[in-house]
Amino acid sequence: SINAEYMGNKLQLKQMNYAEESIYKLIPQEYVPPAKEPRYKSKYTPAIPPTGSTFVNHTTSRPGVANLNGGVDLENNPHSHKGAASTFGQPKGQLKPDSTNFRKKATGTMGYHYEPSQQKSFKYTEERKPSVPKTHEKPIMGLNSNKNYIVSNAVENILAPARTIPQDQQYTNKKDYGQVPTYLKKINDNIQREYETLREIQRQEDEIREREKYLLNQQEVAKLREGLKKKWEEVNKEYQKITHISKIDTIGMKKKKEDCEKELHQIEKDLEKLGKAFILVDATR
């Protein structure tokens, strides 16, 4: 079986060699083109925009993408993803005018819910220049004058009145020279009125202060003096408890002693003031 397999392989190799080195290969053979496959045509209509395309809406400035749902049916939309005749133009004969094919209501590509803007006729607001003369309107020509401009100019200068030299104005001769101007008088009057208003306000405040001041009678003065003396005795009693201590070594004790001294000094000053003949009380303080 091994020999048979070997002989079979050898025969196959010989046949292959014979096929490559055949003399018939030298004869040119006629080329037979292969059969052409039918052109591919998609089952979807090419009139719809591609899915998720950004090159859409050629008839509007609205940004975005189109046909995100991948629909294959044409929808009634005022916008189109293709510009009309934007590459090769209209087919031949399409631009021929037709009196019956005019724009009708709700047939535009930009939507029918927008009304056209009402444009007003343009009018010039300024006066126009005179029109250009016509061809038959010719100017008057051939007029001659015998006037001697040199002599007429000399006569006009001789008969003209003498020029007057303007004199400097004397401001000292004016009627209102040295007087206060009217606007300064008004300003001074306004300032005086403001001063009077301020004086009146100050006077009223002084009257209020005077009414708030009153004289104490002898009974009230006696009550105040008795109260101050009692207060002085109480503070002095507390102070005498501290004076016998030879060494004050705490902050609290030291502060208590200083407070008692200050209070005693203030009470003595108040008793000295109450010792006067007349005592006025100012309620504003």
Side-chain angles (χ1 to χ4, degrees):
S1 61
I2 298 174
N3 293 333
E5 186 178 358
Y6 174 76
M7 292 301 294
N9 292 336
K10 189 174 181 182
L11 179 61
Q12 189 177 2
L13 290 173
K14 285 183 178 181
Q15 290 178 355
M16 291 176 61
N17 292 334
Y18 291 152
E20 292 178 358
E21 298 179 0
S22 176
I23 195 171
Y24 293 103
K25 294 288 185 180
L26 300 177
I27 301 173
Q29 298 180 4
E30 184 180 359
Y31 174 74
V32 180
K36 188 176 182 181
E37 296 181 358
R39 188 183 69 172
Y40 172 79
K41 186 177 181 181
S42 178
K43 63 180 180 179
Y44 303 109
T45 174
I48 60 174
T51 303
S53 175
T54 57
F55 299 95
V56 294
N57 301 331
H58 287 264
T59 56
T60 181
S61 61
R62 181 173 64 87
V65 294
N67 198 12
L68 287 177
N69 58 355
V72 296
D73 297 329
L74 290 175
E75 298 179 358
N76 187 11
N77 197 325
H79 307 297
S80 175
H81 74 287
K82 273 195 293 187
S86 61
T87 56
F88 298 103
Q90 294 285 357
K92 189 174 181 179
Q94 290 290 333
L95 298 178
K96 186 178 180 180
D98 186 4
S99 60
T100 60
N101 187 16
F102 55 88
R103 178 56 62 84
K104 301 178 181 61
K105 184 178 180 180
T107 59
T109 58
M110 294 300 293
Y112 57 88
H113 56 279
Y114 293 105
E115 297 183 357
S117 59
Q118 298 178 359
Q119 297 181 357
K120 297 181 180 180
S121 59
F122 176 76
K123 293 183 180 180
Y124 287 100
T125 56
E126 300 178 356
E127 296 182 358
R128 294 188 178 185
K129 295 181 180 180
S131 59
V132 180
K134 306 296 182 182
T135 55
H136 61 276
E137 296 177 359
K138 297 182 180 180
I140 301 173
M141 302 175 67
L143 295 177
N144 296 324
S145 176
N146 296 326
K147 182 179 179 180
N148 191 346
Y149 290 95
I150 297 174
V151 176
S152 62
N153 190 15
V155 172
E156 288 177 2
N157 287 320
I158 292 170
L159 298 178
R163 294 181 181 179
T164 57
I165 300 173
Q167 298 180 357
D168 296 335
Q169 187 176 2
Q170 297 294 330
Y171 294 97
T172 56
N173 297 331
K174 296 177 70 174
K175 294 181 179 180
D176 56 352
Y177 177 76
Q179 298 180 2
V180 180
T182 307
Y183 74 94
L184 287 179
K185 292 180 180 178
K186 293 180 180 179
I187 293 173
N188 291 331
D189 294 341
N190 294 332
I191 293 172
Q192 292 298 327
R193 283 196 295 270
E194 291 178 359
Y195 280 146
E196 291 176 0
T197 304
L198 293 175
R199 293 192 194 98
E200 183 65 23
I201 294 171
Q202 186 68 28
R203 186 181 60 79
Q204 293 177 1
E205 291 178 354
D206 293 341
E207 290 179 357
I208 293 171
R209 292 195 190 95
E210 290 296 332
R211 285 196 297 268
E212 291 176 351
K213 294 179 182 179
Y214 58 93
L215 181 65
L216 289 177
N217 52 27
Q218 296 297 329
Q219 296 177 357
E220 292 177 348
V221 174
K223 289 181 180 180
L224 288 174
R225 294 182 68 179
E226 290 177 1
L228 287 174
K229 286 180 179 179
K230 289 181 181 180
K231 182 68 175 175
W232 186 88
E233 290 176 357
E234 293 176 359
V235 176
N236 188 36
K237 186 177 181 180
E238 293 290 334
Y239 181 69
Q240 293 298 328
K241 292 178 181 180
I242 304 171
T243 53
H244 71 279
I245 300 175
S246 60
K247 185 178 181 181
I248 300 174
D249 54 354
T250 60
I251 298 174
M253 192 66 68
K254 185 177 181 181
K255 186 175 185 301
K256 186 176 181 180
K257 182 179 179 182
E258 292 177 354
D259 293 341
C260 290
E261 290 175 353
K262 290 180 182 179
E263 194 169 358
L264 289 172
H265 182 68
Q266 183 64 36
I267 294 172
E268 291 173 358
K269 287 179 65 177
D270 295 339
L271 288 172
E272 185 179 355
K273 290 180 179 179
L274 291 175
K276 296 180 181 180
F278 301 99
I279 299 173
L280 292 173
V281 179
D282 190 357
T284 59
R285 296 183 179 180

